[in-house]
């Protein structure tokens, strides 16, 4: 295995167990508090609504389009309107919430009419001409695609998302309980749920939009964090079985296991974090929240695998006997 550095002595991670567990507990409580007091900003994929994709004949100012749509104050819900660039400076994606008593088609027509009026007044559009004449209003902005998501569909997606999260957690418990022991399964599950709640807490506090891409990111973080926990747990199990570690305490065995994986942790997570940050800064609005969830999740995933899951093993009283089965002595027949 490639090593960036090598520790001559084991780092006493477990001696900081109370401090790191307290930090995690406080962070977790804050995250739950924000989730209760500032509910998640669910996208229309979960709440239902209308998605418009429009194209302009020239590059357009997204902020100007957002102001135009918000000025309509659709049902008094203009704050829930989302306007973002879509790949090119000419394409814009507009998300509108469901408005009681108003059909999505009427809503679409209302928005397109206002965008066309604003676009025709724009100086750049006036300079564009067809056969010597200025562009008509309907050519100054073009409706490329309209999607409607009903409240029932949104509720179904929300339910399915929670079901996927629950099934993932149950799968993690079953896998770790079979591969290791129940103490490892419970420790890893608490650490992973700690990561998920903190990600959700960030999205609640900053009121970032929570959409299907973010849900996919949360599920990806669950798998990623489990992988890191399994690496550390594997090394702990190996240490319990090594002859030269028999005189060591459980704390020393866990410290040695974490220290011996530190170089691998820096290499693996450093490379992954660089890729995710590239998506965050250069991936565009479509990947922005997905990359945000992964960035937060990877940082806390490393932290929880080392400084939450392992202290929990000590708390649950893991011993060498839990991992190394006693050898049965065969009785020899007396002739």
């Amino acid at each position: 295995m490639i090593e960036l550095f090598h520790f001559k002595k084991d780092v006493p991670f477990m001696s900081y167990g109370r401090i790191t567990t307290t930090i995690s507990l406080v962070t977790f409580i804050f995250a739950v508090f924000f989730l209760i007091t500032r509910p998640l900003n669910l996208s229309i994929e979960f709440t239902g609504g209308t998605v418009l994709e429009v194209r302009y004949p020239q590059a357009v100012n997204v902020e100007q389009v957002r102001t135009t749509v918000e000025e309509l104050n659709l049902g008094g819900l203009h704050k829930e309107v989302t306007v973002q660039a879509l790949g090119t400076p000419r394409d814009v994606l507009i998300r509108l919430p469901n408005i009681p008593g108003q059909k999505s088609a009427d809503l679409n027509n209302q928005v397109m009419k206002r965008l066309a009026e604003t676009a025709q007044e724009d100086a750049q559009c006036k300079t564009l001409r067809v056969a010597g004449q200025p562009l008509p209003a309907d050519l100054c902005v073009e409706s490329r695609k309209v999607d409607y998501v009903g409240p029932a569909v949104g509720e179904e997606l929300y339910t399915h998302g929670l079901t996927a999260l629950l099934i993932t957690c149950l799968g993690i418990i079953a896998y770790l309980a079979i591969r290791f022991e129940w103490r490892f399964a419970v420790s890893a599950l608490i650490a992973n749920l700690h990561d998920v709640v903190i990600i959700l807490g960030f999205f609640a506090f900053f009121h970032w939009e929570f959409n299907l891409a973010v849900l996919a990111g949360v599920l990806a973080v669950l798998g990623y964090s489990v992988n890191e926990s399994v690496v550390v747990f594997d090394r702990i199990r190996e240490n319990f079985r090594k002859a030269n570690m028999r005189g060591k305490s459980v704390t020393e065995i866990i410290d040695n296991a974490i220290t011996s994986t530190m170089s691998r942790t820096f290499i693996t997570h450093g490379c992954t974090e660089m890729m995710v940050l590239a998506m965050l800064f250069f991936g565009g609005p479509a990947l922005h929240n997905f990359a945000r969830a992964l960035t937060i999740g990877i940082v806390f995933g490393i932290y929880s695998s080392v400084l939450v899951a392992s202290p929990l093993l000590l708390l649950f009283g893991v011993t060498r006997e839990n991992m190394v089965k006693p050898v049965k002595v065969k009785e020899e027949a007396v002739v």
Side-chain angles (χ1 to χ4, degrees), residues 46-326:
F46 296 110
T47 60
T50 306
V51 181
L52 310 178
E53 187 179 323
V54 297
R55 170 168 287 181
Y56 288 80
Q58 72 286 331
V60 66
N61 186 330
V62 175
E63 287 300 323
Q64 189 177 350
V65 176
R66 181 179 292 112
T67 304
T68 303
V69 178
E70 289 183 350
E71 282 174 353
L72 290 172
N73 197 19
L74 299 166
L77 300 172
H78 64 275
K79 289 183 179 177
E80 296 184 21
V81 173
T82 303
V83 179
Q84 61 188 58
L86 186 66
T88 71
R90 297 169 52 202
D91 296 318
V92 178
L93 188 73
I94 303 169
R95 299 170 189 263
L96 306 170
N98 276 323
I99 298 177
Q102 192 163 359
K103 294 181 180 178
S104 295
D106 296 337
L107 197 64
N108 174 36
N109 293 335
Q110 190 178 349
V111 172
M112 288 307 302
K113 181 181 176 183
R114 181 59 187 151
L115 289 179
E117 289 172 356
T118 308
Q120 199 175 28
E121 295 167 2
D122 188 81
Q124 284 187 332
C125 187
K126 286 181 179 177
T127 60
L128 299 174
R129 294 174 177 276
V130 175
Q133 297 297 321
L135 280 182
D138 57 345
L139 290 184
C140 284
V141 57
E142 176 189 1
S143 176
R144 302 273 296 174
K145 183 180 175 183
V146 183
D147 288 331
Y148 305 109
V149 181
V153 176
E155 187 177 347
E156 187 179 345
L157 287 173
Y158 186 77
T159 307
H160 287 181
L162 288 178
T163 306
L165 193 61
L166 179 63
I167 292 174
T168 305
C169 291
L170 292 175
I172 289 170
I173 292 177
Y175 168 70
L176 292 178
I178 293 170
R179 177 161 179 171
F180 297 98
E181 204 240 351
W182 70 267
R183 293 173 181 81
F184 288 80
V186 175
S187 300
L189 181 68
I190 293 174
N192 294 337
L193 288 180
H194 155 276
D195 302 340
V196 170
V197 172
I198 287 177
I199 293 172
L200 298 180
F202 268 95
F203 273 79
F205 178 74
F206 291 106
H207 220 236
W208 293 332
E209 186 184 66
F210 189 90
N211 53 29
L212 282 177
V214 176
L215 177 62
V218 170
L219 294 176
V221 166
L222 265 177
Y224 190 87
S225 187
V226 167
N227 181 60
E228 179 62 22
S229 299
V230 167
V231 170
V232 176
F233 288 171
D234 259 334
R235 193 56 62 93
I236 292 173
R237 182 171 59 181
E238 286 175 15
N239 282 353
F240 275 126
R241 293 173 178 172
K242 285 181 180 176
N244 62 344
M245 300 293 286
R246 282 181 185 167
K248 304 284 186 182
S249 66
V250 176
T251 301
E252 290 172 323
I253 285 174
I254 294 177
D255 283 339
N256 177 269
I258 297 173
T259 304
S260 61
T261 58
M262 287 303 293
S263 182
R264 175 257 175 208
T265 299
F266 274 98
I267 294 172
T268 305
H269 300 300
C271 295
T272 310
E273 195 65 55
M274 280 194 291
M275 295 291 291
V276 173
L277 288 176
M279 279 198 293
L280 180 65
F281 293 115
F282 307 112
L287 291 175
H288 203 70
N289 283 339
F290 174 72
R292 268 179 181 161
L294 285 182
T295 303
I296 299 168
I298 289 173
V299 172
F300 279 92
I302 301 167
Y303 172 82
S304 66
S305 299
V306 174
L307 298 172
V308 176
S310 299
L312 285 175
L313 283 178
L314 284 177
L315 182 68
F316 293 145
V318 69
T319 62
R320 185 186 304 276
E321 289 70 26
N322 298 138
M323 304 305 300
V324 183
K325 294 181 180 177

